[in-house]
């Protein structure tokens, strides 16, 4: 995997690790951006990892673009020698699949969809070869996911499922983007899941909703008091299906400040994962649900 | 003693020079679209360059002052009316407690900057008072101004600045041709050479979708893509890429039809390819383009981009010299 370097105007260096999405490309992006951030390079103002690429914002008055380019290429060479382990968090995110709110919204925008005759999740199930929606939900919420990018808008996580490519779910985006998406919608586009952190426009298929806020500019939500954005690139997520009753209870607990997300520290090893995906994922679940 | 907002105009927000440092979490830098204009307004009234002021789009607000202050309006030519009497733009003038500040119709440009001595001192959010409405962050309760809002004003020692004016040569605005300089790059090679030439040859027009997030352009030829097998994760449309970061000023072209230039409230990433980036020196100008205005994109290389950046710094230096 050799990075492609290109400048985004005079203030950004854009680095494509790979054209295609893969955990390997994501890990390279994460490794280089972590080294760069820790190096505190004079003139580098922001380091933004993405799925299979990353971007560096710099001040050309403080570091010449050519000099920065050379430095990052050196780091790329070093990063390939770093080990494949990542100390991170694993988080359980409850999801109410096929909820009434995303259903109401998707019905309003049916004429913008590839298959106006079915719901988003029915469409996704069918084109991915599942027997029915229940099987689809089992696959979506079975194996865990990597937060491979945080962005688009405030604190929105893109997630990539930790399975081999044959088991990856893939769906197209809406033909034309919606002008509305409920806050906390669990969406899907390409090979990525996402959680819409705020209400707004969107083109991803809508599968459900989580009662767990992930962005709070007021910082009132108990677990967002320290910082308003919940996710970081490299977090691991396990979707946990819930019904209406559990959804309402969780929502109430969030409102009362009594909800604490299930979060555990974990070490992920990419080599171990590639050697035995299911066993690695099972070990991650043990850590998450140990108590 | 605050300023009372009687009418907010079409869309008026509190902006300063933004909140860098959170783009990797999807929170854009934000801040005044026309940075030089806000800085000039602040310098005119004796504020620090990065004090928060108002950014008014196409139409000015109606404001009622409850204490004496000095005011300056810069950027778009949106003539201020003090108790109904026109005041010059790019020039400091005094207001008294009880005065009403309104605005005449827009003459040119798109965004006017209103600075008040002492600055607007709403609470800081992530180090800035800039309004990021999509994330309900900063500004006045995270949103654009509404009738009945009251804007807190900071203390100031500056006075005697009335009549101070920005020299004409330092009032930067887009020329009649609306030229924007672009450094090709990013996914530039996804389109054919014919389309690369067409992008710079064609005359484009600003579309109605032109806001703090981005400016859309219409009227140029539809782009042709270099054939390829779409990579895994990118999506099926030839304009799709595996979702990546978007530089500020980057030019994305969904489906190869209408270029969108991302601005201060940019979405931080997504799945559309980009053909290049408007250079930092020309970002201010975009905020002054009106819908339907003709625009040409001019190809530059990195050296020219850095030269233009130095030219803009020189204007800023002259502004400081003239006004402080």
């Amino acid at each position: 995997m050799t990075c492609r370097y290109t400048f985004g105007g005079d203030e950004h260096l854009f680095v494509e690790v790979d054209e295609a999405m893969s955990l390997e490309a994501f890990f390279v992006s994460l490794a280089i951006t972590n080294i760069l951030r820790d190096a505190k390079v004079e003139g580098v103002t922001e380091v933004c990892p993405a799925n299979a690429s990353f971007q560096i914002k710099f001040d050309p008055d403080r570091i010449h673009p050519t000099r920065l380019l050379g430095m990052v290429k050196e780091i790329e060479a070093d990063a390939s020698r770093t080990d494949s382990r990542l100390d991170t968090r694993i988080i359980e995110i409850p999801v109410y699949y096929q909820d009434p709110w995303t259903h109401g919204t998707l019905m309003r925008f049916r004429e913008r969809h590839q298959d106006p005759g079915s719901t988003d999740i029915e469409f996704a199930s069918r084109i991915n070869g599942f027997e029915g929606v229940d099987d689809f939900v089992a696959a979506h919420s079975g194996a865990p996911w990597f937060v491979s990018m945080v962005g688009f808008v405030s604190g929105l996580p893109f997630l990539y499922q930790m399975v081999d490519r044959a088991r990856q779910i893939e769906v197209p985006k809406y033909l034309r983007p919606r002008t509305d998406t409920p806050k906390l919608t669990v969406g899907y586009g390409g090979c990525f899941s996402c959680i819409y952190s705020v209400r707004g426009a969107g083109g991803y298929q809508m599968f459900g909703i989580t009662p767990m806020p992930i962005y709070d500019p007021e910082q009132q939500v108990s677990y967002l008091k320290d910082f308003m954005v919940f996710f970081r690139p490299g977090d691991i997520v396990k979707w946990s299906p819930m019904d209406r009753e559990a959804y309402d209870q969780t929502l109430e607990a969030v409102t009362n400040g009594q909800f604490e997300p299930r979060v555990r520290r974990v070490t992920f090893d990419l080599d171990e994962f590639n050697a035995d995906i299911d066993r690695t994922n099972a070990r991650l679940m043990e850590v998450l649900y140990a108590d | 003693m605050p300023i009372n907002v009687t009418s907010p105009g079409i869309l008026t927000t509190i902006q300063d020079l933004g909140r860098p440092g959170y783009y990797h979490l999807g929170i854009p830098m934000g801040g005044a679209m026309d940075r030089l204009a806000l800085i000039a307004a602040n310098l005119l009234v004796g504020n620090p360059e990065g004090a928060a002021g108002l950014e008014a789009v196409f139409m000015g607000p109606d404001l009622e002052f409850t204490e004496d202050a000095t005011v300056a309006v810069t950027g778009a030519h949106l003539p201020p009316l003090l108790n109904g009497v026109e005041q010059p733009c790019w020039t400091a003038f005094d207001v008294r407690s009880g005065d009403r500040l309104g605005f005449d119709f827009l003459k040119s440009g798109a965004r006017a900057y209103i600075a008040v001595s002492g600055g607007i001192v709403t609470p800081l959010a992530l180090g800035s008072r800039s309004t990021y409405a999509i994330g309900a962050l900063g500004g006045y309760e995270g949103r654009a101004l509404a009738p009945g809002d009251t804007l807190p004003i900071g203390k100031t020692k500056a006075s005697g600045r009335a009549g101070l004016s920005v020299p004409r040569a330092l009032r930067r605005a887009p020329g009649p041709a609306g030229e924007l300089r672009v450094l090709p790059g990013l996914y530039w090679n996804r389109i054919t050479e014919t389309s690369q030439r067409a992008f710079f040859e064609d005359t484009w027009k600003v579309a109605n979708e032109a806001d703090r997030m981005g400016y859309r352009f219409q009227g140029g030829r539809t782009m042709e893509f270099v054939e390829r097998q779409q990579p895994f994760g990118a999506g099926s449309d030839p304009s799709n890429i595996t979702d990546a970061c978007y530089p500020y000023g980057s030019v994305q072209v969904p489906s190869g039809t209408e270029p969108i230039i991302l601005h201060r409230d940019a979405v931080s990433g997504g799945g559309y390819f980009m053909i290049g980036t408007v250079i930092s020196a020309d970002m201010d100008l975009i905020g002054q383009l009106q819908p339907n205005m003709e625009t040409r994109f001019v190809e530059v290389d990195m050296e020219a981009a850095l030269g233009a950046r130095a030219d803009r710094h020189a204007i800023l230096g002259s502004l400081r010299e003239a006004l402080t």
Side-chain angles (χ1 to χ4, degrees):
Chain A
M1 221 172 278
T2 308
C3 294
R4 182 175 72 87
Y5 292 83
T6 173
F7 285 103
D10 48 326
E11 293 187 337
H12 309 83
L13 176 59
F14 181 100
V15 186
E16 185 184 65
V17 178
D18 197 349
E19 284 192 332
M21 181 58 192
S22 66
L23 273 185
E24 282 73 14
F26 166 65
F27 256 70
V28 171
S29 159
L30 203 60
I32 300 176
T33 50
N34 280 337
I35 296 170
L36 249 170
R37 199 178 300 109
D38 293 346
K40 295 192 172 30
V41 179
E42 165 66 20
V44 167
T45 55
E46 291 212 48
V47 178
C48 304
N51 297 306
S53 56
F54 61 93
Q55 177 175 300
I56 301 157
K57 186 158 191 289
F58 64 96
D59 177 354
D61 305 330
R62 287 154 64 199
I63 184 165
H64 193 277
T66 313
R67 185 149 169 271
L68 176 66
L69 180 64
M71 285 179 73
V72 182
K73 282 184 171 171
E74 269 174 41
I75 292 174
E76 181 196 350
D78 287 349
S80 62
R81 287 192 291 274
T82 59
D83 72 77
S84 62
R85 278 176 305 175
L86 174 71
D87 291 317
T88 186
R89 309 187 293 179
I90 182 163
I91 305 147
E92 181 192 60
I93 306 286
V95 185
Y96 179 15
Y97 288 93
Q98 305 189 80
D99 65 289
W101 303 283
T102 58
H103 186 266
T105 304
L106 69 89
M107 291 311 286
R108 277 199 287 137
F109 292 100
R110 234 46 221 140
E111 87 288 356
R112 301 186 186 208
H113 196 273
Q114 296 78 356
D115 182 5
S118 48
T119 64
D120 292 8
I121 201 167
E122 286 166 357
F123 167 71
S125 303
R126 195 181 66 246
I127 65 167
N128 281 281
F130 289 93
E131 287 284 316
V133 169
D134 288 349
D135 289 345
F136 180 82
V137 169
H140 187 258
S141 62
W145 299 68
F146 253 115
V147 174
S148 50
M149 178 171 172
V150 178
F152 180 58
V153 293
S154 27
L156 180 153
F158 289 83
L159 303 106
Y160 181 69
Q161 196 164 27
M162 297 161 64
V163 291
D164 55 74
R165 191 161 288 183
R167 282 192 282 170
Q168 291 278 341
I169 298 164
E170 271 195 282
V171 298
K173 295 165 192 172
Y174 271 50
L175 295 177
R176 285 183 296 129
R178 297 176 305 273
T179 53
D180 192 20
T181 311
K183 184 176 160 183
L184 297 175
T185 290
V186 174
Y188 213 105
C191 63
F192 298 105
S193 229
C194 82
I195 305 172
Y196 284 88
S197 52
V198 293
R199 185 177 175 180
Y204 275 30
Q205 309 280 338
M206 298 184 291
F207 294 164
I209 200 161
T210 175
M212 188 186 143
I214 58 165
Y215 169 73
D216 178 21
E218 304 280 318
Q219 293 182 267
Q220 299 297 311
V221 172
S222 54
Y223 54 90
L224 296 173
K225 284 203 158 74
D226 288 339
F227 194 67
M228 60 183 71
V229 171
F230 183 74
F231 285 109
R232 304 279 177 282
D235 282 341
I236 296 172
V237 164
K238 166 74 169 71
W239 306 117
S240 169
M242 72 192 327
D243 59 15
R244 176 66 189 260
E245 195 184 346
Y247 175 88
D248 289 342
Q249 284 168 359
T250 307
L251 205 58
E252 198 184 328
V254 168
T255 310
N256 297 337
Q258 288 161 342
F259 177 79
E260 279 300 323
R262 177 176 283 267
V263 181
R264 299 291 181 268
R265 299 298 312 181
V266 70
T267 300
F268 174 83
D269 188 317
L270 185 62
D271 293 339
E272 178 199 330
F273 177 83
N274 284 331
D276 192 337
I277 291 174
D278 290 335
R279 197 164 141 251
T280 307
N281 287 342
R283 188 183 64 77
L284 292 172
M285 290 309 108
E286 280 168 24
V287 174
L288 180 61
Y289 295 112
D291 49 305
Chain B
M1 295 286 278
I3 293 174
N4 298 321
V5 178
T6 317
S7 158
I10 294 173
L11 181 69
T12 300
T13 54
I14 296 170
Q15 300 293 345
D16 55 21
L17 295 180
R19 56 175 66 81
Y22 305 95
Y23 205 39
H24 67 292
L25 299 174
I27 299 173
M29 166 175 66
M33 284 183 75
D34 185 347
R35 296 272 207 258
L36 274 184
L38 177 69
I39 291 170
N42 275 324
L43 291 175
L44 282 170
V45 301
N47 286 346
E49 291 177 10
L54 298 179
E55 178 180 272
V57 188
F58 304 142
M59 189 180 158
D62 285 323
L63 306 171
E64 182 191 50
F65 285 77
T66 63
E67 67 176 296
D68 298 353
T70 305
V71 171
V73 179
T74 62
H77 189 191
L78 186 71
L81 302 174
L82 184 62
N83 302 315
V85 179
E86 185 170 333
Q87 306 293 316
C89 290
W90 297 93
T91 304
F93 57 92
D94 285 334
V95 299
R96 302 254 163 248
S97 176
D99 280 352
R100 305 185 72 90
L101 179 64
F103 291 86
D104 199 352
F105 294 113
L106 180 71
K107 304 289 191 280
S108 67
R111 284 173 179 79
Y113 293 86
I114 307 162
V116 179
S117 53
I120 295 166
V121 290
T122 42
L124 288 166
L126 299 179
S128 163
R129 297 187 167 92
S130 289
T131 313
Y132 173 48
I134 295 161
L137 190 68
Y140 195 94
E141 296 177 359
R143 57 165 171 79
L145 297 187
D149 288 350
T150 55
L151 310 176
I153 300 305
K155 295 249 177 298
T156 175
K157 282 189 219 126
S159 63
R161 304 185 73 83
L164 192 62
S165 193
V166 174
R168 288 204 175 265
L170 303 180
R171 302 177 187 183
R172 196 163 175 243
E179 287 184 352
L180 296 174
R181 289 168 286 188
V182 172
L183 180 71
L186 304 168
Y187 293 86
W188 176 241
N189 291 326
R190 284 291 300 115
I191 53 173
T192 61
E193 280 179 28
T194 310
S195 289
Q196 291 178 343
R197 276 198 304 276
F199 175 68
F200 289 117
E201 284 167 5
D202 290 349
T203 297
W204 299 84
K205 272 188 176 173
V206 178
N208 284 326
E209 290 162 71
D211 57 24
R212 292 188 47 80
M213 183 190 280
Y215 259 60
R216 186 183 281 260
F217 294 82
Q218 295 170 328
R221 278 169 274 177
T222 296
M223 292 172 188
E224 290 162 8
F225 289 89
V226 174
E227 294 248 0
R228 72 164 177 182
Q229 169 96 37
Q230 279 295 95
F232 176 77
S236 50
D237 192 275
S239 69
N240 286 152
I241 55 168
T242 298
D243 291 52
C245 297
Y246 288 155
Y248 296 106
S250 60
V251 186
Q252 57 177 264
V253 196
S255 305
T257 55
E258 297 178 349
I260 299 168
I261 301 176
L262 292 180
H263 216 267
R264 310 291 186 197
D265 285 357
V267 287
S268 68
Y272 289 114
F273 91 118
M274 302 155 275
I275 57 173
T277 309
V278 174
I279 63 173
S280 64
D282 286 357
M283 287 293 282
D284 289 332
L285 301 177
I286 297 172
Q288 299 300 356
L289 298 177
Q290 293 179 0
N292 227 23
M293 255 178 92
E294 288 191 350
T295 306
R296 290 285 298 273
F297 298 109
V298 178
E299 182 173 2
V300 293
D301 59 14
M302 180 63 87
E303 203 185 330
L306 294 177
R309 187 181 173 89
D311 293 344
R312 182 180 173 279
H313 282 329
I315 296 175
L316 186 55
S318 302
L319 271 175
R320 287 173 181 146
E321 215 168 287
L323 304 179
T324 52

